Each structure stands twice: as C-alpha cells, then as structure tokens.
Amino acid sequence: MIKLGQNNFKGKLPRSLANCRMLEFLDLGNNHIRDTFPYWLGTLLRLKILILHFNKFYGAINVSVSNSLFPNLHIVDLSHNGFVGLLPTKYFNMWSAMENVDEENPKYWDAFDNHHLMNFYDPDYTYPYSMTIINKGEKLEYVKILEIFSAIDLSCNKFEGEIADVVGSLKGLRLLNLSNNILVGPIPPALGNLKNLEALDLSQNKLTGSIPTQLTQLNFLEVFNISHNHLTGPIPNGQQFDTFDNSSFDGNSGLCGLPLSRKLALGYGCGFLVGVVIGNIVFARTREWLMRTYRITLSRGRRMRRIQ
C-alpha cells in the first residue's frame, strides 16, 4: 500500500512505481502532481484501488499497447483534474474485476491480506485500507472498504462525447460519478444493468433525450443526480424513483412529471416549503444509509469524524 495523499508533491509520477509488483492500493490524491494519465501502472496486476483526485493531471487517457490494463482494479478516482477527450471506453472493456459480483462472505481489504508481511510481529495483524471521496463539498470517509465495493469517479474533468453502452457491463459498480464534464448524447439504457448501483451522478453535463425507464430497475439506488443537462420527456416513476426530490432533476427545462409537477401544483410558496422539508428528510435518510452500509461519516470543510 502507498498512501501519500494531502501533501504538496509536485512534478511527474516516478516510473519506478511500476516496479511495485505487489502494490494493491495507491492513493496520491490532493497533491500538485502534473502529468498525463499513468497508463504504465496497468501492468500492476494486483492493483485494486487507484486514487489520483485533486491533482493537475491533464490530456486524454490513452490506452497502453500492453495486454495488462488494470485487470484487478475495483476503485478508480480521477476526479478534479484536467483530463480531456473521450471517456476511456477501452479501459472499461478491460476492467473485468468490476464485472464480477460475489457477495458471499464479503471481507474488508487490508494491507496484509494473504501476504502477512509483518508476521514477525503479529501473524494476525492487518491494516485496513481506507479512503476519502469528496462529492459536492461532502467528505465521505471509508474507514474500511468491502471487497465487493467497486466505484468509478471521473467527475470534474473535461471529458467529451457520449457515455458508451459498455459501462453497463460493469455489473459490480456501486458508485458511478461522471458529473461536471462535457458529455453529450443520451443516457444509455444499458445503465439499467448495473443492479448493484447505489449512487449515480451524471449532473452538470450536456446530456439529451429522455430518462431511460430501465433505470427504475436499480432497486439499490439511493443517490441519483441528473440535474443541469438538456433532458426531456416524462420522469419515470416507481421503485427508487419515487424517493428522489426535485434537486435530482433541476436544470432540465424539458422534463415533466413527478416530483417536478408536484412543485408546480402546490404553487411557489407552498412548493418551496414542502421541497425544503422533503429534501431534509431524503438527505437524512441517505446519510443514515451511507453510514450504516459503508461505515462512513459525512462532514463539511476540514472537520471529519471517524466511525471505528
């Protein structure tokens, strides 16, 4: 494990990292690293978690000529950088570990699982992996990470083009965040195949078309945001869609139906009051779910409490 986030590291990533053949966890987030995407890390066959958020990475994400393209990667966070070009669809095709769902006897990832590098001190010693994801000003601290947890966060970059159907093949995904980019085209109905998805954020893009009814099949979806796009047509209802409030759909003038029509029917004053109350209830329920499911805490700014 290499965890060197929240420092003032500058310059490029050292290529010598490719020699760390046993590396499973790499966190270099919140630094000032200026480099292109480190495709050469794809040869690390054990790498499970790659966190490069809040740096100065730039350019398109090119695919290596190597046949090893992060085959065991479960979590990738490239948010808040300067990446451009199309989404890395070819990588999506190669991230086979995110296609698998095995919920029998799930374990937490730790630094010495199967290796016991420190067994001369204590053969039962483990150091659990932990990470922090920042989304819309909220810090989500994962004190422990379940092996079944898979996530892709490419938000706050400058990715263009459409969302490819191949994303729907990553059936192990629990979190998908592509917000704050320049993505166009429709929301792929194939996203309805992500049956384990619990958080989906496609907000602040230029997506068009209607909301696929297939998304109502995502029975575990707790966090949903497609606001500030160019979507049109009726909002699907049923299942989890009945729990989302106006903020999930705001900024799409062509959308209609509940919950947006509920605000219009009640009038501005009453609608505003009801929206605030409902929003607080939904936020509280989501926060409780996040804490209960992944043992995390939510906080604003620099203050953060841990759940041990």
Side-chain angles (χ1 to χ4, degrees):
M1 177 176 69
I2 297 178
K3 190 171 185 178
L4 297 173
Q6 302 187 54
N7 286 287
N8 291 310
F9 295 129
K10 299 179 180 180
K12 296 185 177 183
L13 288 183
R15 290 292 186 109
S16 57
L17 285 173
N19 297 325
C20 302
R21 299 299 179 185
M22 304 296 287
L23 188 63
E24 296 182 347
F25 182 108
L26 178 59
D27 182 358
L28 297 173
N30 293 84
N31 281 290
H32 303 285
I33 299 171
R34 182 175 176 79
D35 203 348
T36 56
F37 179 70
Y39 63 86
W40 39 271
L41 290 175
T43 59
L44 300 179
L45 303 184
R46 292 181 176 269
L47 189 64
K48 300 175 181 178
I49 300 172
L50 177 63
I51 300 175
L52 302 176
H53 61 204
F54 287 93
N55 274 286
K56 298 180 180 180
F57 286 94
Y58 63 92
I61 296 184
N62 297 316
V63 176
S64 166
V65 295
S66 170
N67 291 325
S68 299
L69 301 174
F70 305 94
N72 205 28
L73 200 63
H74 284 257
I75 297 171
V76 55
D77 186 351
L78 307 180
S79 63
H80 296 270
N81 279 287
F83 290 115
V84 300
L86 302 178
L87 291 173
T89 302
K90 291 185 178 180
Y91 279 110
F92 295 159
N93 278 314
M94 300 297 293
W95 290 347
S96 56
M98 298 185 188
E99 298 177 358
N100 303 319
V101 182
D102 184 7
E103 298 187 0
E104 294 185 5
N105 302 315
K107 298 184 300 181
Y108 290 102
W109 277 321
D110 55 65
F112 306 106
D113 184 34
N114 297 326
H115 307 313
H116 303 294
L117 299 181
M118 296 183 67
N119 58 6
F120 50 90
Y121 291 120
D122 182 354
D124 296 321
Y125 178 83
T126 58
Y127 185 87
Y129 292 154
S130 62
M131 66 179 184
T132 300
I133 293 179
I134 301 177
N135 186 24
K136 295 188 180 301
E138 299 287 354
K139 289 185 178 181
L140 311 182
E141 183 180 18
Y142 294 71
V143 179
K144 293 183 178 181
I145 308 171
L146 283 170
E147 290 184 347
I148 61 174
F149 185 75
S150 293
I152 295 176
D153 190 346
L154 304 181
S155 62
C156 298
N157 282 283
K158 298 178 181 179
F159 288 113
E160 303 175 347
E162 298 188 1
I163 304 172
D165 289 339
V166 67
V167 179
S169 67
L170 305 178
K171 297 182 180 180
L173 278 181
R174 308 280 171 150
L175 180 151
L176 177 62
N177 190 349
L178 303 177
S179 65
N180 287 275
N181 282 289
I182 320 173
L183 301 176
V184 298
I187 299 175
L191 294 185
N193 297 328
L194 305 178
K195 304 299 184 184
N196 294 283
L197 199 63
E198 296 162 355
L200 175 62
D201 193 345
L202 304 177
S203 63
Q204 300 285 348
N205 280 289
K206 297 183 179 181
L207 300 175
T208 56
S210 60
I211 303 173
T213 58
Q214 290 85 347
L215 297 186
T216 61
Q217 301 171 13
L218 303 179
N219 295 328
F220 296 105
L221 197 62
E222 289 281 345
V223 179
F224 181 66
N225 193 350
I226 56 171
S227 63
H228 301 285
N229 280 285
H230 304 298
L231 300 169
T232 58
I235 297 173
N237 53 51
Q239 303 295 333
Q240 293 300 99
F241 267 70
D242 293 341
T243 68
F244 303 137
D245 66 357
N246 291 351
S247 63
S248 294
F249 309 98
D250 281 344
N252 293 280
S253 59
L255 287 179
C256 60
L258 294 174
L260 296 178
S261 60
R262 182 185 296 120
K263 179 177 179 180
L264 294 175
L266 290 171
Y268 180 80
C270 181
F272 175 78
L273 177 61
V274 172
V276 169
V277 173
I278 292 176
N280 287 333
I281 293 174
V282 170
F283 177 78
R285 183 169 66 247
T286 300
R287 177 169 56 189
E288 292 174 0
W289 167 83
L290 287 166
M291 294 173 65
R292 182 177 64 255
T293 305
Y294 295 119
R295 297 172 60 85
I296 65 176
T297 59
L298 294 169
S299 62
R300 292 185 180 275
R302 296 183 178 179
R303 299 183 60 187
M304 182 182 300
R305 294 184 296 107
R306 289 188 172 213
I307 297 178
Q308 303 294 340

